[in-house]
């Protein structure tokens, strides 16, 4: 077809096509795509044959069987792992995926596909890998430069819903563990300030956890913590275990830890095939036991490809950066301003890592 726009391709994949070829095309490419399609048919509906993977010369395997599961302990220079609906085949000490080529197109597989390499996707993939799952992360562009772009974000415990406060306490412990594992500070020790009646209303839920240490403060302590607020005289809460997330450091270190498990491919669609999830990209097809979609504004479209409707409304979000006039200030707590005393309400502020 000559309809090469992404929307048309998505509708095609949603309708169940196995491949989508746009005009003009080369006959050699068409034949290669046909070979790939036939190989997948055999992979899903025929008997698994290792010789199809052209790996027999590379593998020395000891075969051990237990019920429906067959494990191959393979001694190879490049360790591989892959799964299929027919059996589970793994190489001991394996990397996150096996790659193979069908007619010039790469196919790969792992336990879990994570779509999107923002802070949420990278964190998810890192934690899954820590728990022993093999992971493949798909990202169209540079990791962390979509909705996770920017130098810093707020880490806070202050929420209206007590369940979110509990989750924030658990998350803070994970951030500390990651700092030890990745060897760098990821959340500043500056604490966080919240202004207005909303801050005081949220305080009791935080005070259920001694590790937070949140407390209401007077104007003198507020001004010493953040002199820029010298004109404010109203309710204020300080959370000493909050802080600014060093966004760029976190994303870069998580990306490095995942290595070549991050695949620079645009995900066109997802398909549920038997007990696996198929990830379709322009130049490869992935087969995974599960998929976690963390694709920002693209999440809803990908979810629709497997019949899941997510009611999402997109909106603009503006971030403005200001230099600190007084360079002698060494501490910059995060700020949540719900007071309305400065002309707006619902303001968030976080310090750059270099202050």
């Amino acid at each position: 077809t000559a309809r090469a726009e992404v929307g048309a391709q998505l509708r095609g994949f949603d309708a169940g096509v196995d491949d989508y070829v746009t005009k003009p095309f080369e006959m050699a490419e068409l034949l290669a795509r046909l070979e790939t399609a036939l190989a997948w048919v055999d992979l899903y509906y025929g008997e698994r044959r290792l010789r199809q993977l052209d790996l027999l010369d590379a593998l020395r395997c000891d075969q051990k069987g237990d019920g429906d599961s067959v494990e191959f302990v393979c001694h190879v220079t490049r360790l591989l792992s892959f799964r299929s609906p027919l059996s589970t085949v793994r190489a001991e000490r394996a990397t996150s995926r096996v790659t193979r080529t069908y007619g010039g197109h790469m196919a790969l597989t792992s336990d879990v596909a994570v779509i999107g390499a923002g802070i949420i996707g990278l964190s998810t993939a890192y934690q899954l890998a820590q728990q022993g799952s093999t992971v493949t992360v798909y990202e169209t562009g540079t990791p962390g430069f979509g909705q996770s772009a920017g130098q810093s974000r707020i880490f806070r415990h202050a929420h209206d819903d007590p369940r979110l406060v509990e989750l924030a306490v658990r998350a803070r412990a994970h951030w500390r563990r990651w700092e030890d594992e990745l060897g760098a500070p990821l959340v500043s020790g500056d604490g966080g300030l919240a202004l207005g009646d909303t801050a005081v209303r949220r305080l009791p839920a935080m005070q259920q956890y001694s590790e937070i240490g949140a407390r209401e403060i007077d104007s003198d302590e507020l001004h010493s913590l953040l002199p820029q607020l010298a004109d404010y005289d109203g309710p204020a809460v300080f959370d000493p275990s909050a802080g600014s997330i060093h966004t760029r450091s976190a994303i870069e270190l998580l990306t490095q830890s995942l290595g070549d498990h991050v695949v620079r491919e645009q995900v066109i669609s997802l398909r549920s095939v038997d007990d696996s999830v198929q990830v379709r990209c322009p130049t490869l097809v992935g087969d995974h036991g599960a998929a976690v979609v963390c694709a920002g504004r693209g999440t809803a479209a990908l979810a629709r490809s497997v019949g899941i409707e997510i009611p999402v409304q997109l909106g603009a979000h503006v971030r403005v950066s200001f230099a600190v006039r007084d360079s002698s200030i060494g501490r910059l707590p995060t700020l949540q301003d719900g007071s309305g005393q400065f002309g707006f309400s619902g303001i968030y502020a976080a310090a750059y890592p270099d202050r």
Side-chain angles (χ1 to χ4, degrees):
T1 177
R3 301 186 64 180
E5 64 273 15
V6 173
Q9 295 185 47
L10 286 173
R11 288 190 292 273
F13 284 115
D14 287 344
V17 303
D18 290 298
D19 204 348
Y20 195 104
V21 183
T22 59
K23 298 177 182 178
F25 63 88
E26 297 291 336
M27 184 57 68
E29 178 191 4
L30 178 60
L31 291 174
R33 289 177 179 269
L34 287 171
E35 289 176 8
T36 301
L38 291 172
W40 277 106
V41 168
D42 187 74
L43 179 63
Y44 281 116
Y45 302 111
E47 179 183 357
R48 167 76 72 169
R49 296 183 180 90
L50 283 176
R51 66 173 178 271
Q52 291 177 324
L53 303 179
D54 295 326
L55 293 176
L56 282 183
D57 292 337
L59 300 177
R60 277 192 300 112
C61 299
D62 302 319
Q63 183 173 341
K64 297 178 291 185
D66 70 350
D68 295 331
S69 176
V70 178
E71 179 181 7
F72 289 91
V73 182
C74 302
H75 313 283
V76 289
T77 302
R78 181 173 178 80
L79 297 171
L80 307 166
S81 77
F82 51 89
R83 296 180 60 186
S84 79
L86 303 176
S87 64
T88 299
V89 185
R90 268 205 182 120
E92 212 168 66
R93 300 168 297 145
T95 61
S96 73
R97 66 183 189 268
V98 63
T99 59
R100 52 194 180 275
T101 302
Y102 290 129
H105 288 71
M106 186 171 69
L108 56 83
T109 184
S110 61
D111 291 335
V112 183
V114 176
I115 318 300
I119 189 65
I120 300 299
L122 291 171
S123 300
T124 299
Y126 181 81
Q127 190 66 23
L128 286 168
Q130 290 287 303
Q131 294 174 358
S133 296
T134 57
V135 181
T136 303
V137 182
Y138 295 86
E139 170 57 47
T140 303
T142 302
F145 275 83
Q147 288 180 247
S148 296
Q151 294 292 325
S152 58
R153 292 289 193 281
I154 288 179
F155 182 91
R156 60 188 173 110
H157 293 97
H159 295 278
D160 287 321
D161 190 332
R163 295 171 297 180
L164 293 180
V165 178
E166 180 188 1
L167 285 173
V169 170
R170 293 164 55 188
R172 189 67 180 91
H174 280 296
W175 279 107
R176 292 190 179 100
R177 177 172 62 82
W178 289 358
E179 288 177 331
D180 291 337
E181 293 171 354
L182 299 173
L186 300 177
V187 179
S188 75
D190 297 331
L193 288 170
L195 309 182
D197 294 333
T198 300
V200 177
R201 187 180 71 241
R202 293 171 171 174
L203 182 59
M206 291 192 289
Q207 289 179 327
Q208 298 297 314
Y209 301 90
S210 59
E211 56 265 57
I212 296 179
R215 65 184 189 275
E216 191 168 3
I217 60 175
D218 59 24
S219 58
D220 290 338
E221 186 174 5
L222 171 66
H223 299 158
S224 68
L225 288 168
L226 201 61
Q228 291 88 340
L229 297 177
D231 294 335
Y232 177 78
D233 185 15
V237 170
F238 179 62
D239 174 1
S241 54
S244 300
I245 299 173
H246 298 170
T247 312
R248 297 265 53 87
S249 293
I251 287 171
E252 289 169 6
L253 290 169
L254 288 169
T255 302
Q256 290 172 14
S257 73
L258 292 164
D260 63 358
H261 305 171
V262 179
V263 177
R264 303 298 177 86
E265 283 280 347
Q266 177 190 13
V267 174
I268 301 298
S269 71
L270 306 175
R271 289 182 67 184
S272 179
V273 180
D274 295 328
D275 62 350
S276 66
V277 179
Q278 193 177 91
V279 177
R280 294 294 188 107
C281 301
T283 64
L284 63 81
V285 178
D287 178 31
H288 309 277
V292 182
V293 183
C294 312
R297 64 179 184 176
T299 296
L302 287 174
R304 280 196 298 271
S305 67
V306 288
I308 300 174
E309 290 293 332
I310 302 177
V312 174
Q313 288 185 334
L314 300 179
H317 190 92
V318 177
R319 294 187 178 92
V320 181
S321 299
F322 300 93
V324 178
R325 292 175 180 170
D326 186 353
S327 59
S328 65
I329 296 176
R331 186 175 192 176
L332 282 175
T334 63
L335 177 66
Q336 294 173 262
D337 180 15
S339 69
Q341 291 198 21
F342 297 96
F344 295 93
S345 185
I347 300 300
Y348 293 79
Y352 272 35
D354 62 357
R355 302 295 181 274

